[in-house]
Amino acid sequence: MNTIIYLVRHGDSPKEGNERTRELTEKGYRDAERVAEVLKEENVDVVASSPYRRSVLTVEKVAKKLHKEVVIIEGLKERIFSPEGTRLSDKELAPLLERSFLDPNFSLKGGESNNECQKRAVKVVKGLINIYEGKKIVIGSHGAVMTLIMNHFDPRCDLQFLNNTTKPDIYKLTLHHDELMDVERLWESV
C-alpha cells in the first residue's frame, strides 16, 4: 500500500523578520491560491505543516478547500540556522548552506546541522507514514528541511536540487512503507 506525501515549499515571504512569524508577500498569497488549485483534485486525507506562519498560510487554503484542519507539527520547522530566530540574508545563507552540504555536521553556534535537522524531520515524516499509511498527506515546508527530507529517501536531492526549487514548490513523493517509489514535481512557475 503506497502513501503519498506532497511536500509544499512555502510561498514568497518578506525578506526581513522573525523566522516563525513572517507571513507571505502579495505574490505568496496569490501562489497559495494556486497551490490549493493544484492539490484540490488529489483527494488529500491530511494537511500538516511546519509551525512557521508562511508555511501554514501556504497550505491553509488547501485544507479549507478539503474541509480539513492544518495539523501543526513543531518537528517540521525549517532548519535552525541561527539561535536568534531572525532570517539570515541570502548573502549569509548561501555559504552556510554550501558548507553544510559538504559537512552535514556543520552548524553555527546555537544552530542546527543538516544531520540534526534531517533526523528531526524524517522522524516526523516516518511517524506520519505509520499513522496514515496508504493515505495522501500534504506537508507545508521550507526549502532546506524539504530538501533534507527528500535527501533521506533520494541522495540526489542535494544543494543543487535546493537551489533549483522555487517559492512555492510542490513535490509528490510516492512511498511504499518508507521506500521511495517515485517523485514528481507538480508546481509550474509562471
Side-chain angles (χ1 to χ4, degrees):
M1 184 180 316
N2 289 339
T3 304
I4 308 294
I5 294 180
Y6 302 89
L7 286 171
V8 179
R9 186 178 185 189
H10 66 80
D12 189 52
S13 60
K15 302 291 184 213
E16 294 85 30
N18 183 280
E19 279 296 282
R20 277 193 183 267
T21 58
R22 281 190 295 130
E23 297 200 359
L24 296 173
T25 62
E26 284 184 38
K27 179 186 182 315
Y29 280 107
R30 284 192 309 274
D31 284 342
E33 290 285 348
R34 286 186 52 224
V35 167
E37 286 300 310
V38 169
L39 295 175
K40 75 178 183 183
E41 302 299 323
E42 294 291 322
N43 299 315
V44 170
D45 298 290
V46 180
V47 180
S49 179
S50 154
Y52 292 13
R53 189 79 180 126
R54 60 196 181 275
S55 292
V56 174
L57 290 169
T58 303
V59 297
E60 195 171 57
K61 297 209 183 306
V62 175
K64 284 181 181 172
K65 282 187 187 285
L66 301 170
H67 308 289
K68 310 269 184 207
E69 294 292 321
V70 178
V71 179
I72 307 299
I73 303 175
E74 184 69 24
L76 293 173
K77 66 186 173 191
E78 178 61 297
R79 178 180 159 199
I80 301 166
F81 292 104
S82 68
E84 296 83 34
T86 53
R87 182 186 187 279
L88 296 176
S89 71
D90 291 345
K91 187 177 180 179
E92 295 169 301
L93 191 58
L96 173 60
L97 284 170
E98 189 170 329
R99 185 165 176 195
S100 296
F101 276 88
L102 290 172
D103 176 5
N105 292 310
F106 170 76
S107 68
L108 296 175
K109 184 176 173 135
E112 187 177 41
S113 70
N114 273 4
N115 277 344
E116 291 166 327
C117 177
Q118 184 179 56
K119 183 178 179 182
R120 163 180 53 81
V122 168
K123 180 179 178 182
V124 171
V125 170
K126 285 185 174 186
L128 289 169
I129 292 169
N130 285 335
I131 295 168
Y132 300 107
E133 186 174 10
K135 304 284 187 190
K136 295 181 176 184
I137 308 163
V138 167
I139 297 177
S141 193
H142 307 268
V145 70
M146 178 183 81
T147 300
L148 293 170
I149 290 167
M150 292 178 70
N151 173 268
H152 171 79
F153 297 104
D154 182 352
R156 293 175 296 176
C157 296
D158 56 9
L159 181 58
Q160 182 178 348
F161 172 85
L162 171 58
N163 289 335
N164 287 321
T165 63
T166 59
K167 293 181 188 176
D169 217 331
I170 306 171
Y171 288 88
K172 178 180 178 180
L173 284 65
T174 303
L175 296 131
H176 184 71
H177 301 292
D178 64 355
E179 180 184 345
L180 182 67
M181 307 305 288
D182 188 47
V183 175
E184 180 184 359
R185 186 176 189 207
L186 300 183
W187 184 254
E188 293 182 26
S189 297
V190 223

